[in-house]
Amino acid sequence: MQTENLHPGLSIDCVIFGFHENELKVLLLKLKNDDKWALPGGFVEKDKDVDSEAVRVLKKRTGLDHIFLNQFHLFGNVNRNEAGHSDTMVKKGVIPPELKAWFDQRFVTAGYYALVEYSRVKKPTPDLTSERCDWRALNDLPPMMLDHADILKKAHQTLKKELNDQPIGLNLLPEHFTMPELQALYETVLEKSLDRRNFRRKMLSYDILIQTDLRRKGGAHKAPLLYKFDKEKYNKAIQSGLQSGW
């Protein structure tokens, strides 16, 4: 890694959310020779916009273009960098000794969250400092480096607040989905159960769903109907807010 062209003291951390098997998941990196995990991220080149660098990180991790991406917080606490952190990374072979001075400096990080449709993501790949890149369930997270657990928690809190103001379902679900799958998404984001009848009634009242003639096949019970979002109505509804809390 060449640091001469990088903006000193500035980093990016991305919380990439996906929805799979009725679970909200995040994409994490396992550090080399360490049991701790990290959020995908990187540094900002001096002649690049911060947003474009975040897009680059996501493209590298997911293989996707045109991902929903939102900067949600700037993390700048003085004690973000733990004492001895860079020494530990050098000893464990996570970074080479010549990068120790770069990692010793104080960093503020721009936090982004991204919403991706799980089945479209190519096999994630590790980077210079990691040995694995895996999807992990939000309710079963491994130990994480520095303040990355706090960044992830803040991203999830933001996702909850913006459930009625951002196209979350449109970006996390496949094109066709069942009403129970849509409800499961809302329940995992909100971390609470929702009444089935009330949920169905409220979602249909928004007039953003199209009931198709397709059914989900392969289950033990009667194949449920499949829905899809009316993207034009969905985007209009999001712009004005869905005007209803959960």
Side-chain angles (χ1 to χ4, degrees):
M1 184 179 77
Q2 302 296 321
T3 61
E4 293 82 3
N5 295 326
L6 299 179
H7 194 297
L10 178 62
S11 59
I12 293 170
D13 284 307
C14 297
V15 182
I16 304 175
F17 290 107
F19 185 67
H20 182 58
E21 296 179 340
N22 288 344
E23 283 189 311
L24 192 62
K25 297 188 176 184
V26 291
L27 199 59
L28 298 179
L29 301 166
K30 185 180 183 301
L31 299 179
K32 289 180 178 178
N33 308 314
D34 202 327
D35 62 351
K36 290 188 177 181
W37 294 65
L39 295 168
F43 304 108
V44 179
E45 293 188 16
K46 293 177 181 177
D47 60 347
K48 299 289 180 62
D49 294 334
V50 178
D51 285 351
S52 65
E53 290 292 79
V55 170
R56 178 185 58 79
V57 170
L58 292 178
K59 171 71 173 178
K60 180 179 179 181
R61 293 295 173 216
T62 66
L64 299 177
D65 292 309
H66 311 297
I67 297 174
F68 178 87
L69 180 68
N70 189 29
Q71 185 181 143
F72 67 94
H73 195 72
L74 183 70
F75 297 86
N77 289 346
V78 175
N79 60 356
R80 284 195 67 239
N81 290 11
E82 297 174 357
H85 174 66
S86 59
D87 290 320
T88 300
M89 290 200 297
V90 170
K91 289 178 182 178
K92 293 187 175 183
V94 179
I95 60 172
E98 57 267 25
L99 290 181
K100 181 181 180 301
W102 173 260
F103 282 89
D104 267 339
Q105 68 181 308
R106 178 190 175 185
F107 280 97
V108 296
T109 194
Y112 288 80
Y113 77 80
L115 307 176
V116 300
E117 205 274 278
Y118 183 91
S119 65
R120 294 179 58 223
V121 176
K122 298 177 182 178
K123 182 175 177 56
T125 55
D127 61 10
L128 177 69
T129 63
S130 59
E131 60 188 21
R132 286 171 54 190
C133 187
D134 296 339
W135 288 101
R136 300 296 299 258
L138 196 64
N139 59 4
D140 185 27
L141 295 174
M144 301 186 69
M145 65 173 282
L146 300 177
D147 61 347
H148 285 207
D150 294 330
I151 295 174
L152 201 162
K153 182 178 179 181
K154 180 71 173 181
H156 184 206
Q157 291 173 342
T158 304
L159 197 65
K160 287 183 181 181
K161 292 178 181 178
E162 297 185 349
L163 196 58
N164 289 328
D165 302 308
Q166 297 290 356
I168 290 171
L170 184 62
N171 288 278
L172 286 174
L173 290 169
E175 181 180 4
H176 296 99
F177 51 87
T178 67
M179 190 65 73
E181 288 167 347
L182 179 60
Q183 181 172 340
L185 170 61
Y186 272 70
E187 289 180 335
T188 55
V189 171
L190 295 170
E191 296 183 300
K192 67 178 183 180
S193 297
L194 301 171
D195 180 79
R196 180 177 60 85
R197 291 182 179 179
N198 287 341
F199 179 84
R200 176 185 174 83
R201 183 167 55 251
K202 184 179 291 188
M203 291 306 304
L204 292 178
S205 72
Y206 293 146
D207 193 29
I208 59 176
L209 298 179
I210 298 174
Q211 181 177 304
T212 72
D213 295 328
L214 304 174
R215 290 183 178 272
R216 171 78 75 235
K217 298 179 181 179
H221 304 288
K222 181 180 178 181
L225 283 167
L226 292 174
Y227 292 82
K228 66 178 182 179
F229 287 112
D230 184 319
K231 294 183 180 180
E232 183 177 348
K233 290 183 177 180
Y234 190 107
N235 289 326
K236 287 182 178 178
I238 289 298
Q239 289 174 10
S240 59
L242 296 181
Q243 307 300 320
S244 179
W246 295 95

